[in-house]
Amino acid sequence: NWTGELIYEGKAKRVYRVNDEFLVMEFKDEVTAFDGARKEHAPSKGKLAAAQTVFLMGLLGKYGIRNHLVDWDGDRKILVRSLRMIPIEVIVRNYAYGSFLKRMPLVKSMTKFSKPLIEFHLKSDELHDPLITTDDIIEAGLASQEQLNEIMGIALRINEILNNYMASKGLTLVDFKLEFGFDKSNNLVLADELSGDTIRVLINGRHLDKELFRRGSSSADLVKAYEEMNKILGIS
Ligand code: C5P
């Protein structure tokens, strides 16, 4: 059953409620950047991003990382477990890039960090997802210190798994974004997507991710890069 009531429509995804337990997440053939200020139709991008998410969630699942993926329709939709989402973006960084450089211009672009950095941003389009502290999160009642410790542990483990796999394919994992929720038994579960829209990955210094579009490439070139990423990752 790949339909239901539309409960959310974002820039690149739609979410449908199937029942109490399951949602369908639909990846749109759209690419946007700068909070939607730049937007283009991108035929077949939705399927490519869905395939990336399915493959990478599956990889993490093999290593025991609990995630929300249940099934894939082979096209632009995935069936996922419905969770109580924490409205936070967890970013893991291996190299200095992106918004890190904007707030910390003292570090040179693409400097490898001595250890992976983890940061938290509040999910808020209006405020442009501001960087927040763990104290902020605890005081706002979004998560406890124990839950944040668990989130950081899982985020670092995910980084290790993705890094090892990407490195084995000659790719450089620059940084990525994660989102988590709680299931009915209050287990922390990895949610949302893992795709070129949320991961920066390089091949010989060349982006295979949405950074291309942010930097002015066409949506057609972005789709070509996602196809290349899928080929390299071994996604059929
Ligand atoms: O822009 P910034 O450097 O903070 O992005 C860090 C990582 O998080 C990048 O891989 C980017 O694709 C991802 N990200 C995301 N969604 C956002 C912000 C960042 O997937 N809203």
Side-chain angles (χ1 to χ4, degrees), residues 89 91 93 98-99 129 175-177 197-200 214:
E89 301 195 331
I91 292 178
R93 301 184 188 275
S99 70
D129 302 336
D175 55 29
F176 56 93
K177 187 262 302 179
D197 283 16
T198 61
I199 303 177
R200 285 195 183 103
R214 294 190 194 103

Side-chain angles (χ1 to χ4, degrees), residues 88-93 99-100 103 117-121 131-132:
I88 288 173
E89 301 195 331
V90 180
I91 292 178
V92 181
R93 301 184 188 275
S99 70
F100 173 88
R103 68 167 191 267
L117 305 193
I118 298 182
E119 61 192 52
F120 300 98
H121 293 249
L131 182 68
I132 53 174

Side-chain angles (χ1 to χ4, degrees), residues 152-169:
M152 289 189 274
I154 298 171
L156 289 176
R157 181 73 186 122
I158 290 172
N159 186 48
E160 256 174 33
I161 297 164
L162 294 183
N163 226 335
N164 287 340
Y165 188 77
M166 301 250 178
S168 78
K169 303 289 180 184

Side-chain angles (χ1 to χ4, degrees), residues 4-10 14-18 22-24 82:
E5 183 202 349
L6 179 67
I7 56 168
Y8 167 84
E9 172 144 17
R14 289 187 193 95
V15 179
Y16 304 87
R17 178 165 297 288
V18 177
F22 300 109
L23 306 173
V24 164
S82 177

Side-chain angles (χ1 to χ4, degrees), residues 75-186:
D75 191 16
R76 294 190 295 109
K77 289 179 177 172
I78 58 174
L79 184 71
V80 301
R81 232 163 268 288
S82 177
L83 303 171
R84 190 158 41 82
M85 292 299 294
I86 310 171
I88 288 173
E89 301 195 331
V90 180
I91 292 178
V92 181
R93 301 184 188 275
N94 295 304
Y95 295 85
Y97 211 87
S99 70
F100 173 88
L101 294 172
K102 292 217 171 96
R103 68 167 191 267
M104 180 41 83
L106 305 178
V107 178
K108 240 181 86 203
S109 179
M110 282 305 286
T111 303
K112 191 169 200 306
F113 294 124
S114 60
K115 60 173 174 49
L117 305 193
I118 298 182
E119 61 192 52
F120 300 98
H121 293 249
L122 182 66
K123 274 179 74 79
S124 165
D125 286 344
E126 203 173 277
L127 300 178
H128 309 290
D129 302 336
L131 182 68
I132 53 174
T133 66
T134 53
D135 282 343
D136 298 348
I137 294 169
I138 294 163
E139 288 300 319
L142 298 179
S144 66
Q145 184 63 255
E146 291 69 36
Q147 289 166 338
L148 284 174
N149 291 345
E150 191 182 347
I151 287 172
M152 289 189 274
I154 298 171
L156 289 176
R157 181 73 186 122
I158 290 172
N159 186 48
E160 256 174 33
I161 297 164
L162 294 183
N163 226 335
N164 287 340
Y165 188 77
M166 301 250 178
S168 78
K169 303 289 180 184
L171 299 170
T172 302
L173 179 59
V174 178
D175 55 29
F176 56 93
K177 187 262 302 179
L178 303 172
E179 294 186 30
F180 293 89
F182 296 105
D183 66 13
K184 289 210 173 72
S185 318
N186 263 343

